[in-house]
Amino acid sequence: MRAPDLDEDGWCLASAVDYHALDAEVFDLPDEATRTGLKPGDFAKLIFLIAVEEDEEPITDRMWVVVRETADGGYFGLLDNEPDIDENDEFWLGTEVPFGPEHVIEVQPGNAESVAYAARTPLKVWPRG
């Protein structure tokens, strides 16, 4: 699974594990078993770095995704938030997002509604292979 790249895709994901390693008291994260055991319909919060034309530095936004499927030790999820940026051609509710356990900062168990949401066709599919 190809990871998103800030230069190529205009966004990428920050490593929650790296943030936790810098300051575990301030930046808590779910244990590894929780982060590696997500199922379709579960909610995972990720840290997105998003390029914005006017700014040299990317903006940071924490957003929820709903897990769609597992793949190669990671996941594909559907974005369940709208990012807080004015010009947005990449991220809309229902966009497919690839991520790994190392990106997960928070988890909530799924429910019947989120399982149904995860089964729908993504608004924008992440390329496979």
Side-chain angles (χ1 to χ4, degrees):
M1 157 173 53
R2 182 178 76 78
D5 179 79
L6 187 61
D7 293 326
E8 184 178 332
D9 301 305
W11 67 280
C12 65
L13 297 170
S15 171
V17 172
D18 289 349
Y19 282 147
H20 180 74
L22 290 173
D23 194 344
E25 289 183 26
V26 172
F27 197 89
D28 195 24
L29 74 155
D31 62 42
E32 186 174 356
T34 300
R35 292 182 287 113
T36 59
L38 299 175
K39 306 179 300 301
D42 286 345
F43 295 89
K45 188 178 272 188
L46 314 175
I47 302 172
F48 290 79
L49 303 174
I50 306 168
V52 180
E53 282 188 31
E54 303 83 37
D55 298 331
E56 288 184 28
E57 294 296 318
I59 64 164
T60 302
D61 203 348
R62 295 176 183 206
M63 295 188 284
W64 289 100
V65 299
V66 176
V67 176
R68 275 181 49 77
E69 63 182 271
T70 60
D72 300 326
Y75 305 98
F76 288 99
L78 290 179
L79 193 59
D80 198 40
N81 283 111
E82 293 283 350
D84 190 23
I85 54 177
D86 293 332
E87 295 181 23
N88 177 17
D89 294 331
E90 295 296 321
F91 294 112
W92 300 102
L93 192 66
T95 299
E96 189 172 56
V97 174
F99 66 99
E102 70 277 10
H103 300 118
V104 178
I105 62 170
E106 193 174 337
V107 171
Q108 291 183 0
N111 54 40
E113 185 178 331
S114 66
V115 169
Y117 178 69
R120 69 182 247 183
T121 301
L123 178 67
K124 183 176 182 180
V125 177
W126 186 257
R128 304 298 201 269

